Structure formats: C-alpha cells, structure tokens
Amino acid sequence: MLNKIHYISQGATFEEQEKDILEALEAGCKLIQLRFKNGTKEKITELAKRAKVLCQFHEAKLIINDWVEIAKEIDADGVHLGLMDTSVREARELLGPTKIIGGTANTLEDVLQRIEEHCDYIGLGPFRFTATKEKLSPVLGLEGYYTILQEMADRCVFIPVYAIGGIELADLEKLKHTGIYGVAVSGVISKSGEKAHIVKEIAKALK
C-alpha cells in the first residue's frame, strides 16, 4: 500500500537536493519522489543512487520523476510521469510489472486516460498556484477536486489520487472530504523548522 504522504524533493543543486531528501526521510516521510528538473542526467543518476541508499535505510520508497531509464538503472521503486513524458506503456515494458508508475492529471479526461493506461496512482492538481513547477496547469481548487472525484465515483472508477500543488496544513481537512487518497507535498515540509511535527500532523489529518 502506498503511503498517503508523497514527498517531492526540492533544491536547485545536487547538495540541496540530497540534504532535502535526507531531512524529509528523517522527518518520517516514507514515499519520496526525486524531482531535480535542472540536473543533468549524470547528476540525477548519481543523486538517485544516493537517494536510494537513504530511502532503503529509512525503509522508504523512491520514485524518480520523468527519468524511466534512471529508475531502471538504479532499480528504484518506480517512476512518476507527466502527461508529456514517456508513455505508461513504455515505462511498464522497461520497468516490469512490480514497479510503481504514477501519472500527472489535471482534468477528468486526464484521470480516465491514466486509468486506461494502468497507472498505479495519479497526482491530480494543482490545488493552488505553486512556484515549484513551471508551465502550471489550470488551478483546480477544492471545487475542482470535488467535481473530478465525484465523477470518478459516479463512473465507478477508482485509483489512488494524490492532491498536489501548494497544499498547506490548513487545507487537509477539506481536501480529505473530496475523496483524495493522499497528498503530494514539498514546501510545507521542507520550509518548516519542525519537519517531523508537520509530517505527523499531515498523517493525522489524512486518517
């Protein structure tokens, strides 16, 4: 079963990324997505190898953003794919049936496409504006989540859906009632001076 807190790494440099991942793990995060958009393939591979060791030590799963080849090379737990990235089918062929493959979605049509592609989970968003992602898709807000999750229920289609995009602790109670499975977060944890406390509060709010 996937952890309900999906942590996405931050950092403009290799060192910042490694420190960020370690601190998230020490705070109690058990599902880490390595997202290093401005890193070269070589640097991302090196970082992924280090992140895998850290994740194994902390009994956490490691997901690689975009780079299916790197996920294969280091034997990561899975990969997260944007709508314009490698297809889920190609990723599955390369990684095999046991690896986790997540996909981004912004609309109901995206969600249905991801389900048809046999994704293991969906990152649905953004909830609100976030500076961590360029070319941001239209913001969903609470109403967007209610609408899409209700449409999914009406169609009897089910898949773990993570809300993502600028989510704060105060948003969780209302978000939970939309029917989401969990949240994908970054800044709310990385910018906190009490990371372990925040992780516990998020976990408690999602119960």
Side-chain angles (χ1 to χ4, degrees):
M1 181 178 287
L2 293 169
N3 196 281
K4 292 189 175 186
I5 303 174
H6 186 134
Y7 182 76
I8 302 173
S9 70
Q10 286 194 344
T13 67
F14 182 101
E15 293 74 20
E16 288 174 359
Q17 282 272 338
E18 186 177 24
K19 179 175 180 287
D20 186 72
I21 290 169
L22 176 58
E23 289 179 349
L25 288 166
E26 290 176 339
C29 294
K30 296 297 182 183
L31 179 59
I32 303 290
Q33 181 185 146
L34 191 165
R35 186 177 185 273
F36 188 18
K37 285 294 187 179
N38 59 345
T40 63
K41 183 178 181 181
E42 291 72 23
K43 280 293 182 184
I44 297 171
T45 302
E46 184 183 350
L47 178 62
K49 289 177 180 177
R50 295 199 191 188
K52 182 183 175 182
V53 172
L54 293 173
C55 284
Q56 286 177 327
F57 180 80
H58 288 88
E59 299 181 334
K61 293 187 182 300
L62 176 64
I63 305 293
I64 307 297
N65 181 273
D66 292 355
W67 287 94
V68 181
E69 300 91 344
I70 295 175
K72 173 71 173 178
E73 180 179 339
I74 71 148
D75 193 27
D77 295 291
V79 68
H80 183 90
L81 302 171
L83 287 163
M84 305 303 291
D85 294 332
T86 306
S87 73
V88 175
R89 179 184 58 79
E90 291 174 304
R92 183 66 72 197
E93 287 176 356
L94 186 64
L95 299 178
T98 63
K99 296 300 184 181
I100 301 164
I101 298 181
T104 297
N106 176 246
T107 64
L108 176 63
E109 290 71 25
D110 294 339
V111 169
L112 297 176
Q113 174 189 325
R114 289 313 202 182
I115 291 172
E116 189 175 327
E117 292 169 340
H118 302 294
C119 267
D120 295 302
Y121 73 84
I122 288 172
L124 178 64
F127 172 65
R128 65 162 58 90
F129 175 81
T130 172
T132 60
K133 189 169 185 178
E134 297 178 4
K135 299 179 181 178
L136 201 66
S137 298
V139 170
L140 293 176
L142 274 175
E143 186 177 342
Y145 283 95
Y146 273 116
T147 300
I148 293 173
L149 271 295
Q150 185 59 56
E151 284 279 359
M152 289 173 63
D154 290 345
R155 292 165 184 256
C156 295
V157 290
F158 301 100
I159 187 172
V161 171
Y162 288 89
I164 182 172
I167 294 168
E168 300 291 340
L169 205 55
D171 301 317
L172 297 180
E173 187 62 32
K174 290 180 179 178
L175 268 172
K176 182 174 68 173
H177 293 296
T178 67
I180 60 165
Y181 174 83
V183 292
V185 291
S186 189
V188 67
I189 294 174
S190 64
K191 293 174 183 177
S192 172
E194 298 180 313
K195 294 178 175 60
H197 173 72
I198 292 293
V199 171
K200 287 178 182 177
E201 289 298 304
I202 295 172
K204 185 164 64 174
L206 291 173
K207 279 187 178 178

